[in-house]
């Protein structure tokens, strides 16, 4: 009996193809699912990475912000200490300016340290402030002054002052006369030391010397000759460049110590405040005015003599009666200056001998004598530059030459501040210049603020276990 095949012709092949097609579909679906899983995993990983990156960025940002606030606390502390008339409180006070705790947030302890350049013989920073009036103001200094206390070339000095060093004979003998021969319009006005980089011949090395990272510390690469940056002389001392003796920030208001206006000696107002001078001194002033005497400085009243004619027409000599005892009062209450702001006066209580010898009437030997005499100077004498005469360091004639260029006040201060955390090690570093009285009877202000964190840590951070403390000097 014949066997009937119920499948149509070619049915086996068709069935086989169907099975293969279904297998291909399942394979495609499997591949698609794997692709989707991989893509989903990549998206999930990307989101996770982004979340962690944002978390890390937020954490870093929060850390930087907290380091900023810690540094601001250091600036506030510096401003507070700068109000004192006693330089010991702000020149070097580790107990108030080093490793000062600001905040403990549970994971970090936040501190600040305020530091500045130490004396030339030291290779370490000190924990304090540098008053800008201990330096030459580059917006006022003559070519002769700069040549005496800086390493600048004649071309560099001329770029700053607008006058050639060939005028040294004039500028050293009478800087006041030089300012007439070479008026302010002939020189550039610098708002920061970095403005010098716009002038020919100036580089960061000229301004900041060997201290490439601005930490006021002699690091190994700053004392190895030409082996590593920066170039240095390998003499074991930190050369700070022009910043050590030059500034653009120093000034003071032409006001007496109590903030009142000074009596103008060259004014047409001839009514001397009652009780300010003795009868003999008042009589001398009246005679000087009658003889059309023009005063360059109140110091000209010191031990002064004047020949006048009496009622009978006979020439007689009269004296001012102003001695070392009256000199501080005269310097405080009188002026011969017509500018409200006196720019570039040099503080004889803090300036180094290099800067002191640029003052007219002060030789190199006298500059050394000033630096030595002030070491044991009574605190009350530091309120006036009159001690230069009363302590016998300068003669009356020398003091009269120096008086228009000197002060005993400090109003602007430069320092660096480090805000940091232990144990995380987050930190920020800033260069700062503050002004404790930008206008009469006003609040202190920050004149200059520069973030130098990119230059690295100025020194190693203390460990969390380091609890060494120094008793701060107290403000009087």
């Amino acid at each position: 009996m014949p066997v009937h095949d119920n499948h149509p012709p070619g049915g086996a092949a068709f069935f086989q193809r169907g099975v293969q097609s279904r297998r291909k579909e399942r394979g495609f679906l499997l591949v698609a699912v794997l692709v989707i899983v991989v893509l989903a995993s990549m998206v999930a990983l990307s989101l996770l990475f982004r979340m962690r990156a944002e978390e890390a960025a937020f954490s870093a940002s929060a850390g930087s912000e907290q380091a900023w606030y810690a540094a601001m606390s250091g600036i506030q502390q510096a401003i507070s200490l700068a109000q004192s008339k006693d330089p010991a409180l702000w020149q070097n006070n580790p107990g108030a300016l080093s490793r000062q705790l600001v905040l403990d947030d549970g994971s970090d302890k936040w501190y600040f340290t305020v530091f500045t350049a130490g004396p030339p013989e030291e290779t370490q920073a000190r924990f304090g402030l540098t008053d800008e009036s201990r330096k030459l103001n580059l917006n006022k200094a003559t070519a002769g002054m700069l040549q005496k206390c800086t390493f600048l070339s004649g071309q560099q000095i001329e770029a700053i002052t607008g006058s050639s060093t060939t005028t040294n004979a004039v500028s050293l003998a009478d800087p006041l006369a030089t300012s007439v021969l070479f008026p302010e319009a002939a020189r550039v006005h610098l708002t920061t030391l970095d403005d010098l980089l716009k002038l020919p011949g100036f580089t960061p090395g000229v301004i900041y010397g060997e201290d490439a990272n601005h930490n006021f510390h002699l690091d190994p690469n700053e004392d190895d000759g030409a082996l590593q940056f920066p170039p240095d002389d390998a003499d074991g001392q930190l050369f700070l460049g022009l910043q050590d003796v030059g500034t653009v920030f120093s000034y003071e208001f032409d006001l007496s110590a109590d903030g009142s206006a000074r009596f103008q000696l060259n004014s047409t107002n001839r009514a001397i405040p009652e009780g300010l001078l003795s009868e003999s001194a008042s009589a001398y002033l009246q005679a000087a005015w009658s003889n059309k005497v023009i005063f360059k400085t109140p110091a000209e009243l010191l031990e002064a003599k004047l020949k006048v004619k009496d009622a009978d027409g006979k020439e007689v000599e009269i004296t001012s009666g102003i001695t070392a005892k009256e000199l501080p009062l005269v310097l405080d209450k009188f002026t011969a200056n017509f500018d409200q702001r006196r720019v570039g006066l040099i503080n004889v209580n803090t300036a180094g001998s290099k800067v002191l010898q640029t003052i007219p009437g002060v030789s190199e030997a006298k500059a050394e004598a000033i630096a030595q005499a002030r070491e044991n100077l009574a605190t009350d004498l530091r309120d006036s530059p009159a001690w230069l005469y009363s302590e016998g360091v300068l003669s009356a004639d020398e003091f009269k030459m120096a008086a228009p260029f000197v002060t005993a006040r400090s109003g602007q201060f430069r320092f660096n501040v480090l805000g940091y955390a232990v144990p995380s090690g987050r930190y920020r570093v800033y260069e700062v210049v503050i002004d404790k009285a930008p206008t009469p009877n006003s609040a202190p202000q920050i004149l200059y603020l520069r973030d130098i964190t990119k230059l690295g840590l100025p020194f190693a951070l203390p460990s969390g276990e380091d609890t060494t403390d120094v008793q701060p000097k107290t403000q009087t």
Side-chain angles (χ1 to χ4, degrees):
M1 183 174 182
V3 178
H4 297 284
D5 188 357
N6 295 326
H7 298 284
F14 179 79
F15 176 78
Q16 185 67 28
R17 287 196 298 271
V19 171
Q20 292 176 352
S21 176
R22 286 192 293 271
R23 286 177 179 174
K24 289 181 179 179
E25 289 177 358
R26 287 197 297 269
F28 175 78
L29 289 173
L30 179 59
V31 171
V33 169
L34 289 175
V35 170
I36 291 173
V37 170
V38 171
L39 290 175
S41 299
M42 291 177 64
V43 171
L45 287 173
S46 176
L47 290 173
L48 180 61
F49 176 79
R50 183 172 180 178
M51 289 174 62
R52 289 184 176 178
E54 289 180 350
E55 182 181 357
F58 176 78
S59 177
S61 176
S64 295
E65 185 175 342
Q66 187 57 58
W68 157 267
Y69 285 118
M72 290 302 103
S73 297
I75 294 176
Q76 186 60 45
Q77 177 81 316
I79 288 174
S80 176
L81 293 178
Q83 305 303 314
S84 174
K85 293 182 179 180
D86 182 4
L89 285 176
W90 46 261
Q91 283 184 331
N92 191 17
N93 193 348
L97 295 173
S98 174
R99 292 179 292 172
Q100 299 300 296
L101 180 64
V102 177
L103 172 69
D104 185 347
D105 63 13
S107 60
D108 273 322
K109 290 184 178 180
W110 294 90
Y111 299 84
F112 71 76
T113 290
V114 172
F115 59 102
T116 192
E121 64 273 11
E122 298 180 9
T123 59
Q124 301 282 347
R126 55 183 168 86
F127 304 109
L129 322 177
T130 297
D131 62 312
E132 293 293 88
S133 58
R134 72 186 299 273
K135 308 173 185 178
L136 276 182
N137 192 304
L138 301 182
N139 289 319
K140 279 292 184 180
T142 65
M145 289 177 169
L146 289 173
Q147 190 174 44
K148 289 192 74 172
C149 82
T150 72
F151 54 90
L152 298 178
S153 67
Q155 180 189 19
Q156 291 168 325
I157 292 174
E158 186 172 355
I160 293 175
T161 64
S163 61
S164 171
T165 53
T166 57
T167 62
N168 284 344
V170 177
S171 62
L172 291 176
D174 190 354
L176 291 177
T178 303
S179 66
V180 175
L181 291 174
F182 302 96
E184 295 301 309
R187 66 192 301 158
V188 297
H189 179 75
L190 305 170
T191 57
T192 71
L193 288 180
D194 284 348
D195 283 348
L196 290 168
L197 296 175
K198 303 173 185 176
L199 304 181
F202 284 92
T203 65
V206 173
I207 301 172
Y208 300 105
E210 299 167 348
D211 193 25
N213 59 354
H214 298 208
N215 69 344
F216 307 119
H217 173 76
L218 185 64
D219 297 308
N221 63 301
E222 296 169 349
D223 193 35
D224 62 356
L227 293 179
Q228 302 178 75
F229 180 83
D232 60 77
D233 52 16
D235 65 349
Q237 292 187 332
L238 181 62
F239 174 59
L240 290 172
L242 188 58
Q243 66 169 331
D244 190 38
V245 294
T247 182
V248 298
F249 293 107
S250 61
Y251 78 95
E252 67 180 53
F253 289 98
D254 197 15
L255 300 171
S256 62
D258 61 8
S260 61
R262 287 170 167 158
F263 181 82
Q264 173 55 255
L265 290 173
N266 296 316
S267 171
T268 54
N269 175 21
R270 303 296 168 83
I272 304 172
E274 186 176 354
L276 197 57
L277 292 177
S278 64
E279 290 186 8
S280 60
S282 297
Y284 178 89
L285 265 184
Q286 294 293 343
W289 289 330
S290 297
N291 283 268
K292 296 182 172 50
V293 172
I294 302 298
F295 293 94
K296 293 182 179 179
T297 168
E300 292 179 2
L301 293 172
L302 174 64
E303 310 289 359
K305 298 178 181 180
L306 183 65
K307 291 183 177 181
V308 297
K309 292 183 178 180
D310 62 14
D312 298 327
K314 182 180 179 182
E315 189 174 73
V316 296
E317 186 176 75
I318 60 174
T319 60
S320 65
I322 302 299
T323 65
K325 182 179 179 180
E326 296 82 18
L327 184 58
L329 176 67
V330 169
L331 295 180
D332 184 45
K333 297 298 183 181
F334 292 87
T335 184
N337 181 70
F338 285 97
D339 296 325
Q340 184 186 21
R341 287 165 55 107
R342 303 191 65 188
V343 177
L345 298 183
I346 297 171
N347 190 333
V348 295
N349 294 330
T350 58
S353 57
K354 278 187 179 181
V355 174
L356 289 172
Q357 65 182 295
T358 68
I359 301 170
V362 179
S363 63
E364 184 176 352
K366 292 287 185 178
E368 294 291 345
I370 292 171
Q372 293 177 6
R374 69 189 182 202
E375 290 182 3
N376 300 313
L377 193 65
T379 302
D380 59 330
L381 294 180
R382 293 178 178 273
D383 292 339
S384 171
W387 69 264
L388 294 175
Y389 175 69
S390 63
E391 296 300 298
V393 182
L394 298 182
S395 68
D397 288 339
E398 290 169 338
F399 183 79
K400 290 175 184 179
M401 291 180 62
F405 305 92
V406 300
T407 183
R409 301 177 183 178
S410 297
Q412 299 75 40
F413 301 83
R414 176 183 288 272
F415 57 90
N416 288 6
V417 59
L418 167 68
Y420 64 95
V422 174
S424 72
R426 295 189 179 98
Y427 70 95
R428 306 293 288 181
V429 193
Y430 300 93
E431 285 183 345
V432 190
V433 177
I434 59 172
D435 190 340
K436 68 180 185 181
T439 59
N441 304 316
S442 67
Q445 289 184 6
I446 298 174
L447 295 180
Y448 177 79
L449 183 67
R450 178 185 181 189
D451 189 342
I452 57 171
T453 306
K454 65 181 181 181
L455 298 179
L457 268 171
F459 37 76
L461 298 180
S463 66
E465 291 75 27
D466 188 355
T467 57
T468 304
D469 192 19
V470 181
Q471 292 298 319
K473 299 182 179 75
T474 56
Q475 187 166 346
T476 56

